[in-house]
Amino acid sequence: GEWQFCAFSATHSSHVRFFIDGKWEQVPHTETFNGGNSTLISFGAQTSGYDFSRIITGDIAAAGLYSGRALSDGEIEQNYQVFKERYGI
């Protein structure tokens, strides 16, 4: 298998940006963050309410959630560099 660093940054203005290996990637379809008070957060699966589907068949080495503000492109790149060293990406 091949390790990749995937991240997304979301703001309360419904702006979502996706990153692969520390670089912003335009994806053909994204869901937006509506800024609500959802208590459901999922990594590695598509959800509809509490019905999980399309679950990944790989491993997730680390997951993080930051509160208060969206990470900048530079902060995501910095996190990528840390995990690149740790996991030999």
Side-chain angles (χ1 to χ4, degrees), residues 13-45:
S13 61
S14 297
H15 182 75
V16 179
R17 291 173 45 97
F18 288 87
F19 298 80
I20 298 175
D21 294 338
K23 303 295 180 204
W24 175 73
E25 294 283 334
Q26 188 170 1
V27 294
H29 176 73
T30 63
E31 298 296 327
T32 57
F33 174 71
N34 67 11
N37 293 320
S38 176
T39 58
L40 176 64
I41 297 173
S42 65
F43 291 95

Side-chain angles (χ1 to χ4, degrees), residues 5-80:
F5 177 86
C6 300
F8 75 91
S9 177
T11 66
H12 288 285
S13 61
S14 297
H15 182 75
V16 179
R17 291 173 45 97
F18 288 87
F19 298 80
I20 298 175
D21 294 338
K23 303 295 180 204
W24 175 73
E25 294 283 334
Q26 188 170 1
V27 294
H29 176 73
T30 63
E31 298 296 327
T32 57
F33 174 71
N34 67 11
N37 293 320
S38 176
T39 58
L40 176 64
I41 297 173
S42 65
F43 291 95
Q46 180 179 355
T47 64
S48 176
Y50 288 94
D51 179 27
F52 291 85
S53 62
R54 298 179 62 180
I55 298 171
I56 67 164
T57 57
D59 296 319
I60 298 175
L65 182 64
Y66 296 82
S67 178
R69 65 177 180 81
L71 294 181
S72 70
D73 292 9
E75 289 169 319
I76 290 175
E77 170 67 23
Q78 182 179 16
N79 285 348
Y80 166 65

